[in-house]
Amino acid sequence: MKRFFITTVTGLLAVAVQSPGLAQENVVQALGSNGEDAPLSSERLYTLGAGDRLFMDIFNLPDFSRQYDVLADGTINLPLIGTVYAQGKTLGQLSNEVESRYARFVNVPSVTFDLQQARSFQIAVAGEVRRPGSYPIAIEAQQRNDDSSTTPTIPTVTRAIQTAGGVTESADIRNIRVYRPNPERTGDGEWIDIDLWALIQDGDLSQDLVLRDGDSVVVPEATELLTEEALAIATANFSPNIINVYIAGQVNSPGLVELPPNTPLNQAILAAGGRVSSASRRVTLVRVNPNGTVTKERIRIDLDAAVNDEANPTLRHNDAILVGRSTLARVTDTLNTVLSPFNGFLDIFRIVDIVDEVTDDGLNDLQEAQLDELDELDDDEL
């Protein structure tokens, strides 16, 4: 077994001498750090396309060692050998082909390609994301630490979702699908299943698929989402950093409020400065659903309640919260309007003191229940 292992390594090194453009990658990929398959490098994953700028280095041929652009038809024009098709090939594959063609003119040629400037990928993102659509995603050629060469940063599924504004609260991140077209045959592509829940729970980096130019990412809608899962997804880097919630009515600072994802209702009220003294004990939550319908829910405020669907639900992007005036405040306003011409006479009856007594926190449970019933009757007015 030991002799077989040594023989295998020797054979690999022999191949490396003949094909230096892929030598290091082949050995690392074949053996890995522990004798197992090593992760694929960016060079092996990145496929070339029109708009890429490459630097070709041919050992002992400085006149040929310079920059070349991948043209619109996916080819590059090289000295002596002419047109070489680069579209869809990795840097290592292109090096291999160019070496074999230069072998007719150069004794044991050594050719390497380095990515100088990468094109943008065109990626489509659909489904449960904030801004579905088609996006150009720039690819940066980052400098390596060990030498002067560069390596491309290739977009992944999570980066594409980030570019589209992040997932919505209804996203099913367990069943994301990526469609990858076949560049050589139109309409003959493949679907790849992605489970980003495994990424955030188990650290499975293989689920963050490296994308190719022309890929489409589809994020489906979840049929059911537990509160615990929603909170975990909200902290992932492919979720939006903020949500916009509109709070109107009887709060100290009404208007648009930016909040972290999955902020509960009571925290949103506090973020708007809290309720004013004349505010109703119930609020109306208005939500636009993914299918275009609008739901309206009447919720009794409890600033001390934990997150729950009935009394303190988590909010979604573009939710609206309407905080109306209490029934007693509306009645008081009406009385003040009607009796305002007689205020001079009514002062002797101490109207202000009477109102203060009625609005005192000492209302009994029966009175409170009656006010709640009146609030329910006013739903349509809100």
Side-chain angles (χ1 to χ4, degrees), residues 61-280:
L61 289 177
D63 292 340
F64 294 173
S65 300
R66 57 185 177 86
Q67 288 185 346
Y68 298 90
D69 292 332
V70 181
L71 304 178
D73 61 358
T75 64
I76 57 175
N77 293 319
L78 301 178
L80 293 180
I81 62 176
T83 299
V84 178
Y85 193 72
Q87 181 81 28
K89 293 184 173 68
T90 65
L91 294 173
Q93 290 171 338
L94 182 61
S95 296
N96 263 0
E97 181 174 345
V98 171
E99 281 180 352
S100 64
R101 295 180 62 171
Y102 270 119
R104 294 179 296 169
F105 308 97
V106 180
N107 186 27
V108 190
S110 175
V111 178
T112 57
F113 280 95
D114 188 47
L115 184 66
Q116 296 291 300
Q117 181 178 331
R119 71 194 188 281
S120 294
F121 278 13
Q122 196 70 27
I123 305 295
V125 188
E128 293 299 319
V129 291
R130 287 279 181 84
R131 299 185 301 274
S134 179
Y135 293 92
I137 301 181
I139 301 170
E140 299 178 356
Q142 293 188 345
Q143 198 79 16
R144 292 196 188 100
N145 295 327
D146 54 346
D147 54 33
S148 59
S149 59
T150 59
T151 182
T153 57
I154 312 175
T156 62
V157 170
T158 56
R159 184 178 171 191
I161 292 175
Q162 289 170 346
T163 304
V167 296
T168 69
E169 294 81 0
S170 303
D172 180 3
I173 67 169
R174 299 176 186 268
N175 296 293
I176 294 174
R177 305 196 77 194
V178 174
Y179 178 74
R180 176 159 295 168
N182 187 339
E184 299 178 358
R185 186 179 303 174
T186 303
D188 185 20
E190 62 172 332
W191 285 98
I192 305 171
D193 294 327
I194 301 297
D195 182 4
L196 290 186
W197 181 253
L199 172 66
I200 63 177
Q201 288 296 105
D202 306 323
D204 185 0
L205 292 176
S206 67
Q207 299 300 324
D208 195 13
L209 179 72
V210 171
L211 298 177
R212 295 181 183 176
D213 194 14
D215 282 355
S216 298
V217 180
V218 181
V219 183
E221 181 181 1
T223 56
E224 183 179 3
L225 189 63
L226 300 177
T227 302
E228 295 78 8
E229 291 188 7
L231 294 175
I233 294 172
T235 59
N237 68 341
F238 50 82
S239 291
N241 293 326
I242 60 171
I243 60 174
N244 293 330
V245 175
Y246 301 87
I247 304 179
Q250 302 301 300
V251 291
N252 287 294
S253 301
L256 177 65
V257 180
E258 294 183 346
L259 301 168
N262 288 316
T263 295
L265 174 64
N266 57 10
Q267 293 299 318
I269 297 293
L270 293 176
R275 298 181 303 151
V276 299
S277 59
S278 60
S280 171

Side-chain angles (χ1 to χ4, degrees), residues 9-31:
V9 174
T10 304
L12 286 170
L13 293 176
V15 173
V17 172
Q18 296 176 3
S19 304
L22 275 180
Q24 182 178 2
E25 291 176 293
N26 283 341
V27 173
V28 171
Q29 178 64 21
L31 298 180

